Amino acid sequence: MEKEMICICCPRGCHLLYKDGEISGFSCLRGKEYGLQEAVAPKRVVTSTFKVNSSKINVLPCKTSGPIPKEKIFLVMDEINKISVDLPIKMNQVLIKDVLSLGVDIIATKEQD
C-alpha cells in the first residue's frame, strides 16, 4: 500500500509518503508518528455543538477530549445530537463520559450561565 499525505503537526507541512510499512518525507519525529498513524488507523478530534435547554441560547460548542477513529465520527455525532443540557455549563464540563466506549469524553468548550 502506498499513500501520500501532508503532515499537519506544524506549519512546515511536510509531504509524507507511506510505502511498504515505512514513512518518508518527515522533518521531525512528530511528523513520522503522524504519518504512520494516519496511514494505518487515522484518528480525528471531533468538534460540534450540543443542544441547550434555555431561552437565551439554543446550542453551545463541544469536542471530543481526544482523537477517535475516523470511521467512528458519524456514530459519535449521533450521540452528541441525542443530548440536551441545562444551564449553567462550565468550560471542559463532561457532557458524555466515555462516548461509545472509545476512551474519550464529549466536553463543553464554552462556559455559559
Side-chain angles (χ1 to χ4, degrees), residues 73-83:
I73 290 174
F74 290 107
L75 294 173
V76 168
M77 290 298 299
D78 289 342
E79 294 300 306
I80 292 170
N81 290 333
K82 291 178 185 176
I83 65 171

Side-chain angles (χ1 to χ4, degrees), residues 49-111:
T49 57
F50 63 96
K51 296 176 201 145
V52 177
N53 301 322
S54 170
S55 59
K56 296 179 191 177
I57 56 170
N58 296 325
V59 294
L60 281 172
C62 64
K63 70 174 190 166
T64 55
S65 60
I68 63 164
K70 193 174 175 181
E71 67 271 9
K72 301 285 186 183
I73 290 174
F74 290 107
L75 294 173
V76 168
M77 290 298 299
D78 289 342
E79 294 300 306
I80 292 170
N81 290 333
K82 291 178 185 176
I83 65 171
S84 183
V85 181
D86 294 322
L87 295 178
I89 299 293
K90 299 293 180 195
M91 179 75 100
N92 295 322
Q93 179 178 330
V94 175
L95 304 169
I96 303 174
K97 182 108 176 115
D98 193 20
V99 65
L100 299 175
S101 300
L102 293 172
V104 298
D105 301 327
I106 304 300
I107 59 172
T109 57
K110 184 176 179 182
E111 195 162 311

Side-chain angles (χ1 to χ4, degrees), residues 2-57:
E2 187 173 305
K3 184 173 182 180
E4 293 181 30
M5 63 199 96
I6 296 176
C7 182
I8 59 170
C9 290
C10 75
R12 181 176 265 157
C14 296
H15 290 261
L16 307 176
L17 176 65
Y18 178 82
K19 185 176 180 181
D20 300 325
E22 297 288 324
I23 194 83
S24 61
F26 57 90
S27 296
C28 65
L29 289 179
R30 288 187 328 165
K32 180 180 181 181
E33 290 172 17
Y34 169 80
L36 289 170
Q37 176 71 47
E38 186 66 16
V40 177
K43 292 184 174 187
R44 300 288 186 271
V45 171
V46 174
T47 59
S48 185
T49 57
F50 63 96
K51 296 176 201 145
V52 177
N53 301 322
S54 170
S55 59
K56 296 179 191 177
I57 56 170

